[in-house]
Amino acid sequence: MFSFLKKNKAKTDFSFLGADMHNHLLYGLDDGLQLPEQTIEFVKKMQLLGYVKLICTPHILSGVHPNSPATILPRLQDVKKILTDNNIDIKIEAAAEYMIDNEFAALAKNGDEVLSFGNNYVLIEMSYVAASPYLEESIFNLKLRNFQPILAHPERYSYLHTNFNKYIDIKDRGCLLQLNLLSLTDYYGKDVKKIAKKLLEEDMIDFVGTDMHHYNHLNATIDFSANTKVYQLLQSRNFLNATLV
Ligand SMILES: [Fe+2]
């Protein structure tokens, strides 16, 4: 009786991306998932969405999320074990999402261990309130050490919305850009959606990530309808995600 409704709702499928390289699925480390059972549940759902590899990126933010290789890497091993114990077969790795503050600026410069993934990629982010005064020097110093910085969710920094040249400048400095999938829906608001579409249309986006933290993100991602124009726009672009698998 409702088959016509089903027909209009195409199944959400992100298998063309293959790998998610920005999420908070490692439990108990930051403002993402808190319990091992949640990690199991979310990983299963990510598989149903078409992902075959997950690169988990817990926040590192001094005083708020004081993570380091010493907290993240053992948790990755715990998660690998519980996934194996639950017969879940998926590739899973860990890196981090570094807030660009003075501590990160020092880390980028001083040669201490930086958590990277794939082709020496390092995921960095800024506050939603104001641009980081350490952005340019951090990009420079990371590249000097042969790391390839990726700025997380550039579309979510509202202070950049009126200055599109700043996005171009960040790319010109050799930093890649990662878009959040949900930015293409109304999840973060109309302004974010507008700039997200523009960045995609201008071929400025190198990676796409879920930035998955909790059930609202999961449900909104599952609801990302595969028969919308933004989904077609997404599919029409080439991202580096597939090179990570
Ligand atoms: Fe994130």
Side-chain angles (χ1 to χ4, degrees), residues 138-199:
S138 296
I139 293 172
F140 180 83
N141 285 320
L142 285 170
K143 290 189 74 77
L144 211 56
R145 291 177 62 190
N146 256 337
F147 288 114
Q148 173 58 65
I150 304 170
L151 181 63
H153 37 62
E155 74 283 2
R156 295 199 61 200
Y157 308 122
S158 54
Y159 46 83
L160 296 183
H161 288 179
T162 51
N163 184 7
F164 201 79
N165 281 339
K166 187 66 188 168
Y167 291 113
I168 296 169
D169 176 66
I170 292 168
K171 288 219 73 169
D172 283 348
R173 289 173 187 273
C175 185
L176 302 179
L177 301 180
Q178 174 261 308
L179 188 90
N180 277 10
L181 270 178
L182 290 180
S183 295
L184 294 168
T185 72
D186 291 331
Y187 189 89
Y188 302 111
K190 302 268 186 235
D191 291 341
V192 170
K193 184 177 178 180
K194 193 174 159 195
I195 202 82
K197 283 167 74 178
K198 184 168 181 185
L199 286 164

Side-chain angles (χ1 to χ4, degrees), residues 1-11 227:
M1 179 172 160
F2 294 110
S3 58
F4 68 97
L5 284 176
K6 280 183 192 155
K7 216 183 213 173
N8 285 336
K9 179 90 171 75
K11 187 177 173 288
N227 53 4

Side-chain angles (χ1 to χ4, degrees), residues 22 24 59 97 153 211 213:
H22 182 175
H24 302 267
H59 289 286
E97 180 180 16
H153 37 62
D211 201 2
H213 282 74

Side-chain angles (χ1 to χ4, degrees), residues 19-25 30-31 46 51 53-59 93 95-98 117 123-125 128 150-157 177-181 188 207-213 217 241 244:
D20 182 38
M21 39 63 74
H22 182 175
N23 62 71
H24 302 267
L25 300 177
D30 60 7
D31 56 347
M46 294 290 279
Y51 290 105
K53 183 166 184 177
L54 303 171
I55 297 164
C56 305
T57 50
H59 289 286
E93 293 179 6
E97 180 180 16
Y98 288 98
F117 62 94
L123 188 65
I124 56 177
E125 70 168 337
Y128 296 122
I150 304 170
L151 181 63
H153 37 62
E155 74 283 2
R156 295 199 61 200
Y157 308 122
L177 301 180
Q178 174 261 308
L179 188 90
N180 277 10
L181 270 178
Y188 302 111
F207 288 95
V208 181
T210 62
D211 201 2
M212 185 82 70
H213 282 74
H217 286 160
N241 292 66
L244 297 169

Side-chain angles (χ1 to χ4, degrees), residues 212-227:
M212 185 82 70
H213 282 74
H214 45 60
Y215 284 95
N216 286 347
H217 286 160
L218 178 64
N219 293 332
T221 305
I222 290 169
D223 281 346
F224 195 114
S225 181
N227 53 4

